Amino acid sequence: MRTDYLAAQDAANRLGVSLATLYAYVSRGRVDSRPGPDGRTREYSASDIEQLIERRQAGRGAAQGAAHSLAWGLPVMETRISLIRSHGHYYRGESAIALAKGGATLEETARLLWDCGEHDPFVAGLPDHWPKAVALLLQQSNVPPLERTTAALPLLALDATHAHSTDPLHRRHDAALLLRETAALLCAAPPSTQPIHRVMVTSWRTGELGLSELVRCALVLCADHELNASSFATRVAASTGASLHATVCAGLATLSGPHHGGAAARAHAFIQDMLRERKPIDRVRERLRRGEALPGFGHPLYPEGDPRAMVLLDAMRATRPRPAKLSAIERLIETVQTQCGRRPNLDLALAAIASGYELSADIALAIFAAGRMAGWLAHALEQQESGSLIRPRASYVGRMPQRDG
């Protein structure tokens, strides 16, 4: 697989320069290039790109370079959990797309992310009922999934057996229990040892053939995506010695923002609005003229299209939940791509699944959160085992204090 070379736009985006500047670097011998797989385009050395970035950051000074790296910039932490490439992402060196297409469950993916080896933390049983306080919370039908789960986790933490154990097996056992419990909380289901994708689909009572397999695939693709905002928040909490319950609460809180997990809800609303239009192309053009966003399209790390979305939309076509609605969603995707060149991302794909099966935006977010929970736990485990505290320094740019005297 060609992972050591990048497409032109991807390379330019990494460097933060125009294509013309990229080509100038090539002509000066600073970046190696070679023919692309189709024979018509060229690819550019990823290692040469990284060396250019490092030299440029070093020239800016360590403090300024660190500040820039926090916004889609250079890596700021080491991890063995996941890797992002323009053609897809990897879990401990294994293709997430291959896992999803190959039938892996979220539980199997979690074992890989948590570096369990031959140990299976999911063999342990579960309580057959929720604690009373959690059961009362689940009776509140007006509480959305994310808020319900965030409220319930501190209550479950009260009974956690190994909340602050340093034993790796104890930690992974608690992670497995927590993953199953949070998935059940997200869909207001009882605790279960059934595969998580089946638990979720059964709770929605759709009776739709093919949805269970589609949700399984989505959960695996959502499981981790390197150092995104919620995973970073989880690691910060874990670095303080907080319990796994507390660390994933940090992840859930961060996910709730409109620029992270809330993006799926915005994509869902966009799809619903467009499906009601007789001529969606006119509304898309109007949004573009006004400079408004098109929720669910484009991704800074995937300039040539989010491969996670491509896999899920292909899988959705295979299930064909509502042929007319699916065709309308596909026409919308084609319209946006034709008008502005943007391609669907993971948020759009999750929203399309919910729309295609006539499910709510909350369910799109529940799928995302249940899958990403496996990644948050992986980051929490890795950070706990490192034993280091995450405490960056700030570069003060405000008013300077007056000198005494």
Side-chain angles (χ1 to χ4, degrees):
M1 185 172 291
R2 305 163 74 96
T3 60
D4 52 346
Y5 276 70
L6 305 172
Q9 191 61 60
D10 195 13
N13 288 343
R14 288 275 187 95
L15 283 166
V17 300
S18 66
L19 288 173
T21 302
L22 172 66
Y23 301 148
Y25 284 140
V26 174
S27 66
R28 295 171 193 159
R30 301 179 70 183
V31 176
D32 181 51
S33 72
R34 69 184 185 188
D38 59 5
R40 299 189 302 273
T41 58
R42 297 193 69 79
E43 296 177 326
Y44 302 85
S45 169
S47 62
D48 288 350
I49 296 295
E50 294 302 325
Q51 287 178 16
L52 276 174
I53 293 172
E54 289 170 5
R55 285 197 292 269
R56 186 171 61 191
Q57 294 285 22
R60 291 175 179 168
Q64 187 178 7
H68 282 279
S69 70
L70 292 177
W72 303 101
L74 282 174
V76 296
M77 298 181 70
E78 291 185 348
T79 181
R80 291 180 172 83
I81 296 170
S82 65
L83 170 71
I84 297 175
R85 288 287 185 257
S86 60
H87 56 268
H89 61 307
Y90 295 80
Y91 301 150
R92 294 192 182 272
E94 294 195 27
S95 167
I97 290 175
L99 289 168
K101 289 183 174 181
T105 64
L106 181 61
E107 291 89 338
E108 291 166 345
T109 303
R111 287 181 58 195
L112 173 63
L113 288 168
W114 303 345
D115 197 23
C116 290
E118 295 301 316
H119 176 65
D120 185 358
F122 291 97
V123 296
L126 281 174
D128 58 4
H129 62 278
W130 292 116
K132 184 177 180 180
V134 175
L136 289 172
L137 179 61
L138 287 169
Q139 293 174 14
Q140 311 304 312
S141 59
N142 62 327
V143 180
L146 217 62
E147 287 75 7
R148 174 174 61 236
T149 306
T150 304
L153 285 176
L155 301 174
L156 291 175
L158 297 174
D159 297 325
T161 307
H162 307 116
H164 295 283
S165 173
T166 59
D167 181 83
L169 295 184
H170 283 168
R171 285 176 170 169
R172 282 155 179 78
H173 173 272
D174 284 359
L177 175 63
L178 190 50
L179 181 60
R180 280 176 163 162
E181 287 179 334
T182 52
L185 288 168
L186 284 164
C187 53
S192 174
T193 57
Q194 289 292 309
I196 287 171
H197 62 279
R198 292 181 189 167
V199 172
M200 300 187 79
V201 173
T202 300
S203 74
W204 302 329
R205 299 181 177 85
T206 66
E208 294 281 1
L209 295 176
L211 180 58
S212 179
E213 180 65 11
L214 191 55
V215 170
R216 179 204 60 75
C217 185
L219 290 171
V220 171
L221 291 173
C222 290
D224 197 59
H225 204 233
E226 196 217 68
L227 205 61
N228 53 82
S230 56
S231 294
F232 185 61
T234 299
R235 291 193 78 119
V236 171
S239 78
T240 70
S243 69
L244 289 179
H245 287 78
T247 63
V248 296
C249 278
L252 283 167
T254 309
L255 186 69
S256 68
H259 298 299
H260 195 2
R266 291 191 291 120
H268 187 274
F270 177 65
I271 289 175
Q272 298 306 308
D273 288 345
M274 293 299 103
L275 291 182
R276 287 190 288 268
E277 292 290 329
R278 292 184 61 185
K279 293 184 176 180
I281 189 171
D282 292 340
R283 286 295 303 277
V284 169
R285 286 173 175 167
E286 183 180 348
R287 279 177 174 259
L288 291 172
R289 279 197 300 269
R290 293 199 300 248
E292 294 180 1
L294 300 179
F297 289 87
H299 194 292
L301 296 180
Y302 299 116
E304 296 180 8
D306 189 337
R308 300 170 298 174
M310 299 175 196
V311 171
L312 287 179
L313 291 171
D314 284 344
M316 188 176 170
R317 292 184 190 100
T319 64
R320 298 191 65 79
R322 302 284 188 281
K325 184 166 288 189
L326 176 60
S327 296
I329 293 172
E330 289 182 326
R331 287 196 299 273
L332 173 61
I333 292 171
E334 183 178 351
T335 295
V336 171
Q337 188 167 339
T338 300
Q339 293 299 310
C340 64
R342 297 176 198 163
R343 300 181 182 181
N345 59 30
L346 178 64
D347 301 312
L348 192 285
L350 293 174
I353 292 171
S355 298
Y357 282 91
E358 298 182 347
L359 300 170
S360 69
D362 281 342
I363 285 180
L365 182 53
I367 295 171
F368 188 101
R372 189 56 53 88
M373 186 66 63
W376 292 338
L377 289 164
H379 284 281
L381 291 169
E382 186 177 64
Q383 190 63 42
Q384 286 177 340
E385 288 163 8
S386 77
S388 61
L389 176 69
I390 298 175
R391 202 300 189 186
R393 293 298 308 279
S395 176
Y396 181 72
V397 295
R399 179 186 297 177
M400 297 303 294
Q402 297 289 330
R403 290 186 178 181
D404 294 336

